[in-house]
Amino acid sequence: LMLMCFIACRAPKTPFLAIISPEPINYMGAPQEWLKAIIAVETGGGSTYNKNEPLAAGILQQYPIFVRDVNRILGKQVYKLEDRNDPAKAIAMFWTYQQHYNPEMSFERMARIQAGGPDGWKQSCTDKYFNLVRNKLFNS
């Protein structure tokens, strides 16, 4: 005796290629590209002096409290206030600060921490700054 079984089969609603090939990942840029966009937003590639922020200095418009915090993170006095005006040292301080407060290197956090300090990524007032940096990076 022969039993015949029929199993109802249906094609999946999702196309086969979509199953084996997930949605493409949108390129968000490299950390160095975000840093360049932040520098462009901060100083526009021009003067590192901002009359609206007399305490901020250098290509990243870093404040004295920022330098003190970087030295605290490093556990010793490595940087001086005038180091904010040295692009290489300003960038080194930026990465120290980011690695401490943003170890996963989230690009949004990177920009928002630059604008609002260690917990800047939690502050709604840094949303506009993040959008400025993102637009500078992707629309320039």
Side-chain angles (χ1 to χ4, degrees):
L1 202 204
M2 188 187 318
L3 283 179
M4 297 183 89
C5 296
F6 292 95
I7 300 172
C9 292
R10 288 188 217 171
K13 291 181 181 181
T14 305
F16 178 73
L17 288 178
I19 295 171
I20 61 170
S21 176
E23 290 289 319
I25 297 172
N26 293 328
Y27 180 68
M28 293 298 294
Q32 294 79 8
E33 292 172 302
W34 280 83
L35 172 60
K36 286 180 186 176
I38 289 169
I39 291 169
V41 167
E42 290 291 348
T43 57
S47 171
T48 58
Y49 174 73
N50 181 347
K51 66 181 186 238
N52 297 321
E53 299 289 345
L55 295 177
I59 61 171
L60 285 160
Q61 291 296 283
Q62 295 162 330
Y63 286 86
I65 193 169
F66 173 85
V67 177
R68 286 193 301 273
D69 200 20
V70 168
N71 284 326
R72 181 196 59 80
I73 291 165
L74 293 171
K76 59 184 174 181
Q77 179 77 34
V78 176
Y79 296 104
K80 300 176 193 130
L81 289 180
E82 56 268 18
D83 291 336
R84 299 174 296 165
N85 293 311
D86 178 328
K89 290 179 180 180
I91 290 170
M93 287 190 283
F94 173 87
W95 289 125
T96 298
Y97 198 76
Q98 288 292 328
Q99 288 170 349
H100 184 76
Y101 291 112
N102 181 21
E104 65 282 346
M105 285 295 152
S106 159
F107 299 130
E108 181 174 355
R109 281 188 183 192
M110 184 182 293
R112 293 178 72 189
I113 286 170
Q114 172 67 20
D119 66 348
W121 60 275
K122 298 177 187 177
Q123 301 172 22
S124 61
C125 63
T126 62
D127 290 339
K128 184 177 178 183
Y129 183 86
F130 168 65
N131 288 326
L132 284 170
V133 173
R134 184 177 57 194
N135 289 338
K136 180 59 90 175
L137 179 61
F138 293 112
N139 297 325
S140 292

